Amino acid sequence: MKQDAFSAGVEPGGLWNKNDIRILLCYILSSVGAPLARQDLTRIIQEKGLANYFEVEDALASLLAQGNISQNGEGYYTVTAAGKEIANSLDATLPLSVRDKALEAAFTMLSKARAQRENRVDIQQTERGVQITCHISGGEMELMAVSLYVPDKAQAEMVKDRFHKDPQGFYQLVLAALTGDTSLAKEFFREHG
């Protein structure tokens, strides 16, 4: 296929054809089965260097205008029946590596978003510093909440980021400390080096 799209920021093996970019967007939305925001779609594609940012934005506008995708009141995109048909019949025209990279990035992003929703962190400025409360959820119920004070907002954000990287590991260490079960702590440190 001829190159008719900008290639700036596109990794080798990425897409340089406008039609392929539209197919990829339909494929992502159809495959993940969840509404995605514009910035999520562009992040997925940009993170892996699959297509030019401006071409992705243009493709989204084109797909929306043609009725292949729809946008809800909150700005999230979903694929329509016509878009699913495009994804199902034309996805094989995309290189397998592009499809795999796009889905890997999409599912990683969705997994992180779910973990952050289920294991939330509340940050509140107080007179004496910043109180941070980490909530660990078991899906149906809150398993644990831990509050601590840190001197400033920067450290609170650092705690939040570290907590979101491994809330289950944090839970495992606290449980080991509270129950005296050192095997839980040993297991954690074996897994995390």
Side-chain angles (χ1 to χ4, degrees):
M1 219 172 246
K2 74 174 188 152
Q3 178 180 341
D4 66 352
F6 292 116
S7 61
V10 181
E11 297 288 325
L15 303 178
W16 297 341
N17 179 278
K18 293 175 185 280
N19 197 45
D20 286 347
I21 296 167
R22 289 189 288 268
I23 294 168
L24 178 62
L25 288 166
C26 289
Y27 175 75
I28 292 169
L29 286 168
S30 180
S31 297
V32 300
L36 294 174
R38 167 179 259 127
Q39 63 268 23
D40 293 336
L41 284 164
T42 56
R43 186 181 316 124
I44 289 165
I45 292 174
Q46 291 294 286
E47 203 172 83
K48 299 293 184 177
L50 299 176
N52 177 276
Y53 171 83
F54 298 106
E55 296 294 349
V56 171
E57 290 291 324
D58 186 52
L60 282 170
S62 173
L63 288 168
L64 193 59
Q66 295 170 0
N68 296 311
I69 61 174
S70 62
Q71 189 176 25
N72 67 18
E74 296 172 357
Y76 286 87
Y77 292 96
T78 55
V79 67
T80 63
K84 282 183 185 179
E85 190 175 319
I86 289 170
N88 292 336
S89 62
L90 298 175
D91 69 341
T93 64
L94 300 174
L96 180 60
S97 62
V98 168
R99 287 180 281 161
D100 287 348
K101 287 178 183 179
L103 288 185
E104 177 189 354
F107 287 125
T108 299
M109 184 202 65
L110 288 172
S111 175
K112 285 180 184 176
R114 191 184 94 233
Q116 288 183 3
R117 260 193 329 274
E118 290 179 358
N119 302 292
R120 76 179 197 284
V121 176
D122 300 324
I123 298 175
Q124 182 178 2
Q125 184 70 46
T126 68
E127 292 177 10
R128 295 186 171 197
V130 179
Q131 180 181 13
I132 182 165
T133 305
C134 301
H135 301 268
I136 297 177
S137 171
E140 297 288 319
M141 59 185 259
E142 184 169 276
L143 297 175
M144 179 174 64
V146 175
S147 293
L148 61 138
Y149 280 91
V150 293
D152 56 38
K153 190 88 165 165
Q155 283 190 12
E157 289 296 330
M158 184 176 71
V159 168
K160 177 182 177 181
D161 291 342
R162 296 283 301 181
F163 173 75
H164 276 141
K165 284 183 182 175
D166 190 10
Q168 288 76 22
F170 177 78
Y171 180 74
Q172 185 177 357
L173 285 175
V174 172
L175 191 61
L178 294 175
T179 62
D181 186 352
T182 58
S183 65
L184 285 173
K186 287 177 185 174
E187 182 183 327
F188 172 82
F189 288 114
R190 218 181 0 260
E191 290 175 4
H192 294 81

